[in-house]
Amino acid sequence: MEQPAPPPYRRIVDTIRRRIDTGELTPGDRVPSTRRITQEWGVAMATATKVLTTLRQEGLVRAVPGVGTVVAEPQRTPRGGAARERRPRETDSGLSRESVVRAGVKVADAEGLRALSMRRVAAEFGVSSMALYRHVAGKDELVLLMADAAFHDIELPEPAPDGWRERMAAGARLQWELYRRHPWLAQYLSLTRPQPMPRAMALIEWTMARVRGMDPVTLIHMALTLLGFVLSTAAGFEDDLEAEQETGMDQNQWMATMEPVFDGILTSGSYPMYAGVSGIDDDVVNLESLFEFGLDRLLDGMETLVEGRAAGAAGAAGAG
């Protein structure tokens, strides 16, 4: 009896697998994007997405934030056994609080905070999750330690900016770059339920150290307003990472799939503001541009507050 033909997605998966097996695609090389798959094989976007999802499930590719979907390192085959992934192993006696925290950061950076679990971190060492509980109390403590460790990596500029506005801008950019390196961190931090993280608190103290003439309540409001702006904007890093993990498409690939839909909306004439930038080829609106524009406008407003207080203080002194 003739075997039924495999579905289109399976044929594409097998073709890309052969390219990997023959060395046409090597570890680290980008595999065809969903858009490229739709063009090369003439399939729907849903089929192209299923292709990349299947390749990830079979361990042939992995998603790299900011790069796309690339060929994964080959699995090694133990003597006399089936193929399985071999991770760097560390004996239980060699585990430490610091090594567990480093492994947690590594997992969260690559896969997002949702993917983090005690079992997932334990797999980095080839031990059971119970072995980790000798060093951290649980996931909540682990993530707190990860966040504090991430802030430890910040290097304050030397010499430090002397002006209050320049110092606040420098502190905001230090946070921004930190959240870029660790996309999960901005969504973990909270303004309403702050966690005790001395290293993060030290950065905020440094950021606000040149603001003069403010009462403590106003100063803390300025600090938290700046922090909240950076956090809310940087939350997009984790959103994009999680979306890429789920769909197999990076931001450019996803936008390409949405282009026909948006074109139809913009040409309707009902949205002139959006239509005004639709014909610009350059990526003029992105997280980076939103951060820089918002930071400048926020500091403009605070400058009005700081200068107003200074003028009021000078007037009071002169009247005295």
Side-chain angles (χ1 to χ4, degrees):
M1 184 176 179
E2 185 177 351
Q3 295 291 328
Y9 88 90
R10 188 71 252 180
R11 294 199 299 271
I12 301 171
V13 168
D14 292 341
T15 299
I16 296 176
R17 178 192 288 274
R18 282 195 295 273
R19 292 179 182 178
I20 295 173
D21 290 342
T22 60
E24 182 180 345
L25 291 171
T26 60
D29 287 346
R30 288 192 62 173
V31 299
S33 64
T34 49
R35 186 178 186 183
R36 175 70 180 276
I37 291 171
T38 62
Q39 294 171 342
E40 186 172 344
W41 281 278
V43 295
M45 183 58 64
T47 300
T49 300
K50 190 171 184 180
V51 168
L52 293 183
T53 299
T54 302
L55 289 169
R56 288 202 310 276
Q57 291 172 344
E58 295 182 1
L60 295 172
V61 302
R62 62 189 181 92
V64 178
V67 176
T69 303
V70 303
V71 178
E73 292 292 334
Q75 296 178 335
R76 299 177 181 177
T77 304
R79 187 186 301 273
R84 63 182 179 88
E85 184 179 359
R86 294 177 62 92
R87 292 191 175 97
R89 299 181 64 86
E90 180 171 336
T91 62
D92 186 14
S93 60
L95 287 175
S96 67
R97 192 179 182 90
E98 291 74 20
S99 65
V100 170
V101 170
R102 286 196 303 271
V105 171
K106 176 184 175 183
V107 171
D109 284 353
E111 303 173 24
L113 202 57
R114 289 184 187 177
L116 185 77
S117 66
M118 297 295 279
R119 178 178 297 180
R120 175 66 186 85
V121 175
E124 291 291 306
F125 300 102
V127 299
S128 70
S129 57
M130 291 304 297
L132 303 188
Y133 287 99
R134 300 185 180 96
H135 306 281
V136 294
K139 180 180 175 180
D140 288 345
E141 183 186 25
L142 174 58
V143 180
L144 175 60
L145 293 171
M146 288 163 50
D148 196 46
F151 276 94
H152 183 66
D153 292 338
I154 288 182
E155 294 185 7
L156 298 176
E158 189 62 43
D162 192 52
W164 72 266
R165 178 169 178 146
E166 292 75 16
R167 178 73 72 93
M168 287 185 68
R173 291 193 173 92
L174 287 171
Q175 293 175 59
W176 179 255
E177 291 303 321
L178 181 66
Y179 303 145
R180 186 198 299 278
R181 294 193 300 272
H182 306 291
W184 52 273
L185 184 55
Q187 289 198 357
Y188 171 72
L189 299 175
S190 172
L191 293 180
T192 58
R193 300 190 179 189
Q195 296 279 23
M197 291 190 294
R199 291 163 178 166
M201 295 170 67
L203 174 60
I204 304 304
E205 287 280 355
W206 180 89
T207 300
M208 306 303 297
R210 290 294 179 266
V211 180
R212 307 297 187 200
M214 294 294 162
D215 62 275
V217 175
T218 300
L219 188 63
I220 197 69
H221 273 81
M222 291 176 64
L224 294 181
T225 297
L226 180 67
L227 175 61
F229 162 72
V230 182
L231 287 178
S232 61
T233 309
F237 291 132
E238 175 77 344
D239 290 340
D240 195 49
L241 174 60
E242 290 182 350
E244 186 170 330
Q245 296 284 352
E246 292 174 3
T247 66
M249 293 184 285
D250 61 25
Q251 185 184 32
N252 291 333
Q253 293 167 340
W254 185 86
M255 288 297 293
T257 67
M258 294 292 105
E259 188 173 334
V261 179
F262 281 118
D263 282 346
I265 295 174
L266 295 177
T267 55
S268 69
S270 300
Y271 306 94
M273 179 184 69
Y274 293 99
V277 297
S278 64
I280 300 176
D281 293 333
D282 294 335
D283 184 17
V284 294
V285 181
N286 50 53
L287 284 179
E288 195 71 38
S289 71
L290 290 173
F291 169 72
E292 291 294 342
F293 180 88
L295 177 61
D296 284 343
R297 303 294 77 76
L298 186 63
L299 293 177
D300 287 344
M302 290 189 177
E303 187 168 344
T304 300
L305 173 64
V306 172
E307 291 183 350
R309 291 288 179 93

